[in-house]
């Protein structure tokens, strides 16, 4: 085996200084808004306490196996998503660019949500929303207009959004360890403290127990509905940041002799642990709200943007020590969202650096500045919320889920890469990657996910997204159009040649050959 742990090339690309930093960065990516505002509601809607079963099955049969596939691809091939795919098999480069396109789109709108959360951390101090949080959010803060594309900039959004992009530019320019790694090392412990404090405060509110009962009362009958299983697989994929190219990129920055499967287990279970904690905190708070307004918890349960920016402000206004609750809640959203946002943009930066001869700072500017401009143009105007809602829905379903299914099928069946990838993972591991992994990645996970995808597709065709709230052209452009555009981008980007001197031979192949004395192609 190669005795040198890092090569000059690795040094140039950037590296995490230790396994611990990598694990924190990966947790930083996985733990995001999805954990805080998506999981509690998905769990509640899909069987409550009984959801634990499909959720765990999805984590073990698809989430962790696919996470390990991402790690194997990135760690063996030591490249950005497109380069890692290309090194695994030349014909698969487009899968990586498809992911790069998806990440670019996500970055552009996720930054806006982060800017809202940052602004709301400040609003929470004075409870600026008064006694009408919904009217304040839609009318005063976002100044949402009708469903046309508007060019009217809302300064209250544009300024924090510009600041978010400046912060991202600084962190990403600092590179893998000093920027991404250091941010995770600082942010993740602070996030745990703030969110932990929030959960404790929420649990002390009157009515909290009722909220928890509503979340956890198991509805075993739900397990007979295929849609509930589909929701579990969908949640796990989004929540673990797999299929985005993020984990491929991050694992390419990890030292060679690292136990990747063991790291995957730590990351997978930490992410789910945080998700559970979020479920407890959010439903305790909803229980309080229900009691305070004399209605059932089911009446106040919600998820997503509505939960964070409408329901939570109402809770904050009612709760004892509400200001503290508000700052902890929105502060947690900012911390969790920032480390996730950093990870999606890094996918793009890393790919651009691999393809063209560019310095770290040059690539960061080349990616972030256009992204920031698009972000400001589309999401700080009065039509921002509509576009964001549609784009988020379609990119998640017909971008991330679709690329995940296709890449598993291609890797397992078309280019038959699972054996070399498993062998790579097994070079340094605390868990043996055997036949079980191949069966899960080649059959169980793609079948389960294809099923989810078909269900989603059927629903999207039957009932247009938003139930008539959005005109067809808007769904066509920012929904189907955007999902198709990233796919086409993926194919076209493969036509651009790699910068001179790029080897498409996998460094993993070199490692393996040096142990067997074989010659590398
Ligand atoms: N795992 C992330 C979450 O749960 O929020 C998913 C994610 C979303 C990652 C958006 C990155 C991102 F920009």
């Amino acid at each position: 085996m190669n005795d040198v742990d890092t090569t000059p090339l690795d040094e140039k690309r950037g590296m995490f200084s230790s396994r611990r930093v990598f694990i924190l960065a990966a947790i930083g990516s996985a733990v995001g808004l999805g954990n805080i505002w998506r999981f509690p509601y998905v769990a509640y809607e899909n069987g409550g306490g009984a959801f634990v079963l499909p959720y765990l099955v999805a984590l073990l049969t698809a989430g962790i196996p696919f996470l390990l596939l991402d790690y194997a691809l990135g760690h063996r091939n030591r490249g950005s998503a497109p380069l890692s795919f290309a090194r695994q098999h030349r014909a698969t480069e487009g899968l990586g660019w498809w992911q790069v396109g998806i990440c670019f789109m996500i970055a552009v709108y996720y930054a806006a949500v982060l800017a809202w959360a940052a602004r709301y951390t400040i609003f929470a101090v004075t409870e600026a929303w008064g006694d009408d949080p919904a009217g304040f959010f839609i009318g005063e803060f976002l100044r949402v207009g009708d469903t046309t594309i508007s060019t009217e900039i809302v300064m209250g959004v544009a300024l924090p959004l510009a600041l978010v992009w400046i912060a991202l530019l600084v962190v990403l320019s600092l590179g893998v360890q000093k920027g991404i790694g250091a941010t995770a090392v600082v942010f993740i412990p602070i996030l745990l403290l703030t969110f932990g404090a929030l959960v404790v405060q929420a649990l002390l509110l009157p009515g909290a127990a009722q909220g928890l009962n509503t979340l956890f009362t198991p509805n075993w009958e739900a397990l007979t509905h295929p849609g509930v299983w589909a929701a579990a697989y969908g949640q796990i994929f989004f929540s673990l940041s797999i299929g985005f190219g993020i984990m491929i990129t991050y694992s390419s920055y990890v030292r060679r002799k690292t136990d990747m499967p063991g790291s995957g287990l730590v990351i997978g279970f930490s992410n789910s642990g945080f998700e559970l904690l979020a479920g407890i905190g959010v439903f305790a708070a909803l229980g309080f709200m229900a009691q305070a307004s004399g209605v059932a918890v089911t009446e106040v349960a919600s998820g997503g943007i509505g939960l964070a920016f409408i329901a939570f402000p109402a809770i904050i206004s009612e709760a004892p020590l509400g200001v503290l609750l508000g700052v902890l809640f929105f502060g947690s959203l900012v911390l969790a969202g920032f480390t996730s946002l950093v990870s999606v943009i890094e996918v793009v930066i890393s790919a651009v650096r691999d393809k063209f001869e560019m310095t770290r700072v040059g690539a960061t500017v080349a990616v972030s500045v256009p992204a920031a401009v698009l972000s400001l143009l589309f999401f700080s105007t009065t039509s921002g919320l509509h576009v964001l809602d549609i784009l988020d829905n379609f990119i998640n379903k017909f971008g991330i889920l679709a690329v995940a299914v296709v890449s598993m099928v291609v890797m397992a069946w078309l280019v038959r890469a699972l054996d070399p990838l498993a062998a790579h993972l097994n070079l340094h591991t605390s868990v043996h990657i055997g036949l079980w992994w191949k069966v899960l990645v080649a059959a169980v996970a793609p079948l389960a996910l294809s099923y989810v995808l078909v269900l989603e597709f059927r629903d999207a065709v039957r009932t247009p997204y938003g139930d008539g709230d959005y005109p067809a052209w808007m769904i066509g452009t920012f929904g189907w159009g955007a999902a198709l555009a990233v796919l086409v981008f993926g194919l076209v980007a493969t036509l651009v040649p790699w910068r001179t001197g790029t080897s498409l031979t996998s460094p993993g192949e070199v490692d393996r050959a040096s142990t067997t004395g074989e010659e590398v192609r």
Side-chain angles (χ1 to χ4, degrees):
M1 193 160 320
N2 212 340
D3 267 326
V4 199
D5 207 25
T6 56
T7 64
L9 186 68
D10 284 334
E11 301 293 349
K12 214 172 147 201
R13 295 183 70 239
M15 293 213 97
F16 289 121
S17 64
S18 67
R19 176 171 175 235
R20 187 181 67 98
V21 177
F22 158 65
I23 289 180
L24 284 172
I27 292 179
S29 170
V31 171
L33 304 182
N35 299 57
I36 300 178
W37 78 26
R38 196 170 184 275
F39 172 81
Y41 192 61
V42 170
Y44 155 73
E45 269 200 319
N46 291 284
F51 187 68
V52 174
L53 186 71
Y55 179 83
L56 277 180
V57 170
L59 175 68
L60 296 174
T61 61
I64 290 183
F66 192 81
L67 187 64
L68 297 185
L69 175 66
D70 269 359
Y71 285 167
L73 275 168
H75 194 247
R76 176 176 192 266
N77 298 312
R78 313 203 74 70
S80 58
L83 184 57
S84 288
F85 275 111
R87 282 181 172 163
Q88 197 59 45
H89 191 291
R90 310 281 139 97
T92 64
E93 182 190 332
L95 291 171
W97 289 110
W98 188 3
Q99 293 178 326
V100 168
I102 292 173
C103 284
F104 187 83
M105 293 255 183
I106 294 181
V108 167
Y109 72 77
Y110 208 79
V113 181
L114 201 71
W116 303 346
R119 197 82 169 95
Y120 264 68
T121 315
I122 299 167
F123 285 156
V125 177
T126 54
E127 294 174 4
W129 44 78
D131 49 17
D132 180 16
F136 178 82
F137 179 62
I138 309 255
E140 262 179 72
F141 175 55
L142 294 184
R143 304 223 318 265
V144 177
D146 52 18
T147 46
T148 48
I149 290 301
S150 127
T151 48
E152 195 189 333
I153 301 268
V154 182
M155 281 323 257
V157 178
L159 287 177
L161 185 51
L163 289 178
V164 166
W165 279 106
I166 291 172
L168 287 165
L169 195 75
V170 171
V171 166
L172 287 159
S173 297
L174 286 171
V176 176
Q177 173 59 29
K178 291 202 185 112
I180 303 172
T183 307
V185 168
V186 176
F187 277 28
I188 296 304
I190 302 183
L191 171 65
L192 263 184
L193 289 179
T194 35
F195 205 76
L198 169 95
V199 173
V200 171
Q201 194 184 351
L203 283 173
L204 293 174
L205 294 171
Q210 199 44 45
L212 296 188
N213 276 341
T214 309
L215 172 61
F216 289 116
T217 303
N219 168 13
W220 296 110
E221 197 260 335
L223 300 187
T224 58
H225 299 297
V228 167
W229 291 83
Y233 279 90
Q235 174 62 23
I236 285 289
F237 262 69
F238 185 76
S239 174
L240 267 181
S241 296
I242 42 190
F244 292 66
I246 295 175
M247 293 299 173
I248 300 181
T249 310
Y250 274 13
S251 58
S252 75
Y253 300 140
V254 176
R255 282 176 203 287
R256 293 179 175 217
K257 297 175 186 171
T258 302
D259 171 7
M260 297 306 280
S263 311
L265 290 178
V266 174
I267 293 158
F269 284 106
S270 306
N271 178 60
S272 291
F274 192 93
E275 212 144 64
L276 192 66
L277 196 67
I280 295 174
V282 166
F283 269 77
L286 289 172
F288 160 73
M289 189 60 199
Q291 192 180 71
S293 34
V295 296
V297 181
T298 47
E299 300 272 310
V300 290
S302 62
I305 293 174
L307 172 80
F309 297 101
I310 298 175
F312 249 88
I315 296 171
I316 291 160
S317 296
E318 289 281 331
L321 290 179
V323 171
L324 177 66
L325 190 72
V327 172
L328 290 176
F329 178 74
F330 289 111
S332 297
L333 284 184
V334 171
L335 292 168
F338 192 78
T339 45
S340 297
L341 193 51
V342 161
S343 71
V344 275
I345 306 174
E346 179 59 18
V347 171
V348 188
I349 293 177
S350 170
V352 167
R353 284 197 75 192
D354 279 346
K355 193 91 181 184
F356 307 101
E357 187 76 58
M358 272 201 196
T359 60
R360 172 96 217 161
V361 176
T364 305
V365 171
V367 170
S368 309
V369 171
V373 170
L374 286 174
S375 191
L376 283 162
L377 275 183
F378 278 103
F379 301 107
S380 64
T381 61
T382 51
S383 50
L385 181 64
H386 305 311
V387 176
L388 192 146
D389 183 32
I390 300 174
L391 195 59
D392 178 49
N393 180 67
F394 279 79
I395 284 289
N396 286 332
K397 288 176 185 159
F398 307 113
I400 295 171
L401 267 182
V403 73
V405 174
V406 176
S407 56
M408 276 190 279
V409 171
V410 168
M411 285 296 130
W413 299 102
L414 297 185
V415 304
R416 302 202 167 263
L418 297 191
D419 279 330
L421 291 172
H424 178 81
L425 290 175
N426 280 329
L427 284 176
H428 305 281
T429 184
S430 48
V431 192
H432 183 74
I433 304 301
L435 182 65
W436 61 270
W437 180 70
K438 286 191 267 174
V439 172
L440 292 174
V441 173
V444 178
L447 280 174
L449 283 188
S450 307
Y451 178 70
V452 178
L453 201 58
V454 169
L455 279 192
E456 298 287 7
F457 190 74
R458 194 195 60 184
D459 286 352
V461 173
R462 272 193 197 159
T463 348
Y465 183 66
D467 262 339
D469 281 355
Y470 301 118
W473 71 266
M474 226 177 182
I475 297 184
T477 313
F478 299 106
W480 297 113
L484 194 68
V486 283
L487 174 59
V488 173
F489 166 78
L491 296 174
V492 173
T494 58
L495 302 177
V496 180
W498 291 102
R499 67 178 152 90
T500 39
T502 304
S503 161
L504 290 186
T505 301
S506 169
E509 193 63 27
V510 180
D511 279 356
R512 196 188 56 80
S514 70
T515 57
T516 57
E518 269 172 56
E519 231 175 85
V520 181
R521 280 173 289 145

